Amino acid sequence: MELVQPSAEYKDSFTEAVREYKEEAETEPTRSYRSLSLGDLETDFEAFVARERSHAEGKNQPQEYVPQTEFWLVDGGEYIGHVSVRQRLNEHLLQIGGHIGYDIRPSERGKGYGNKILKLALRKAKEMGIEKVRITCDVDNIASRKIIEKNGGVLDSEIPNPETGVGKLRYWIDVT
Ligand SMILES: CC(C)(COP(=O)(O)OP(=O)(O)OC[C@H]1O[C@@H](n2cnc3c(N)ncnc32)[C@H](O)[C@@H]1OP(=O)(O)O)[C@@H](O)C(=O)NCCC(=O)NCCS
C-alpha cells in the first residue's frame, strides 16, 4: 500500500470509484471527484491525470486555492482513496479546511484505509517541509475524528462553520 501520484495506470479502478462517489448522498463530504464526467474520463484519462498533477503548481484549480499536491492511495494495483496536501495555509484553510483533505472510496471504507491514508500523508507533508499540520473535521464525522486523533491530532478548538452550520474541530499534528 502506498501513496502515488495520479496515474493512468489506475484508470479502471479509479473510474469504478467515481461511479461509487456518484451514488453517495449529496450530503457526504466526498471530494470533487463525484462531479467528474465518466465520458471524459473514458475518452481522455491522461488529460485528467495531467490536470490533477498540475494542482501542485497551483494550476487548473480555483483562483483562491493554494498549490496542493494530489496523491492516490493504491493497494494491490487498485485505487483506494485520494488525499490532497496543501503546500501552505491561507486564512480559510487555517480556520476551516486545513492542510490535508482525504477520502476513501465508499466500497473500501471501514477497513483501516482511512487511518493509513492520513499516516502516509503526514509523511508527505513532512517531506514537503510542513512542521505543524492543521487538520480539521466536522464534529459529527466520527470516523475522521478517530483517524485524526489516532495519528496524533491535538485538539485546538471547535468553531461553527459559517458555510454549513456544523461545528468544525480544528487540530494540530506536529510532524517534526
Ligand atoms: C472518513 C473516512 C476517510 C474514513 O475512512 P475509513 O477507511 O472508513 O476509516 P478506517 O476504516 O481507517 O476507520 C477509522 C476509524 O473510524 C471508525 N469508523 C469507520 N467508519 C465509521 C463510521 N461510519 N462510524 C463510526 N466510526 C467509524 C473505525 O472503526 C476506525 O476506528 P478505530 O481506529 O478505533 O478502529 C471515509 O469515511 C470517507 O472517505 N468519508 C468521506 C470523506 C470524509 O469524510 N473525509 C474526511 C474529511 S475530514
Side-chain angles (χ1 to χ4, degrees):
M1 186 187 329
E2 59 184 328
L3 288 184
V4 298
Q5 285 199 311
S7 159
E9 200 180 320
Y10 307 102
K11 178 178 176 180
D12 291 349
S13 55
F14 182 86
T15 307
E16 282 165 25
V18 171
R19 287 202 178 87
E20 293 173 7
Y21 290 132
K22 285 180 181 297
E23 283 167 11
E24 280 197 299
E26 281 290 322
T27 47
E28 281 293 317
T30 306
R31 321 214 12 99
S32 55
Y33 287 163
R34 177 170 34 210
S35 58
L36 291 172
S37 152
L38 290 167
D40 290 352
L41 290 178
E42 184 50 41
T43 52
D44 203 349
F45 199 78
E46 295 279 0
F48 166 67
V49 162
R51 279 199 308 279
E52 286 292 289
R53 288 184 175 219
S54 74
H55 295 170
E57 277 86 51
K59 296 178 185 155
N60 295 306
Q61 53 180 13
Q63 204 185 349
E64 67 277 16
Y65 277 30
V66 306
Q68 59 183 25
T69 310
E70 314 286 4
F71 298 100
W72 290 353
L73 181 70
V74 297
D75 194 12
E78 303 272 304
Y79 171 89
I80 301 290
H82 168 222
V83 58
S84 303
V85 184
R86 290 132 198 164
Q87 295 171 12
R88 56 184 161 79
L89 295 175
N90 59 19
E91 189 57 22
H92 180 265
L93 292 173
L94 175 67
Q95 300 300 338
I96 303 289
H99 277 107
I100 295 181
Y102 49 86
D103 70 79
I104 298 298
R105 63 183 282 189
S107 65
E108 296 292 342
R109 290 182 190 161
K111 301 179 182 177
Y113 284 122
N115 268 313
K116 292 282 167 39
I117 203 168
L118 181 57
K119 185 175 177 196
L120 294 171
L122 290 171
R123 281 191 207 152
K124 295 287 183 190
K126 187 175 181 181
E127 284 165 22
M128 287 158 63
I130 301 167
E131 295 183 344
K132 258 179 94 183
V133 173
R134 179 61 133 181
I135 187 147
T136 70
C137 73
D138 287 350
V139 71
D140 57 3
N141 193 336
I142 307 296
S144 200
R145 282 176 77 159
K146 284 184 161 184
I147 289 168
I148 295 169
E149 288 170 12
K150 202 169 212 171
N151 279 283
V154 176
L155 185 62
D156 168 23
S157 52
E158 176 182 341
I159 59 162
N161 182 347
E163 292 161 18
T164 63
V166 177
K168 200 55 121 173
L169 298 173
R170 290 128 38 98
Y171 295 83
W172 290 111
I173 302 180
D174 188 334
V175 291
T176 50

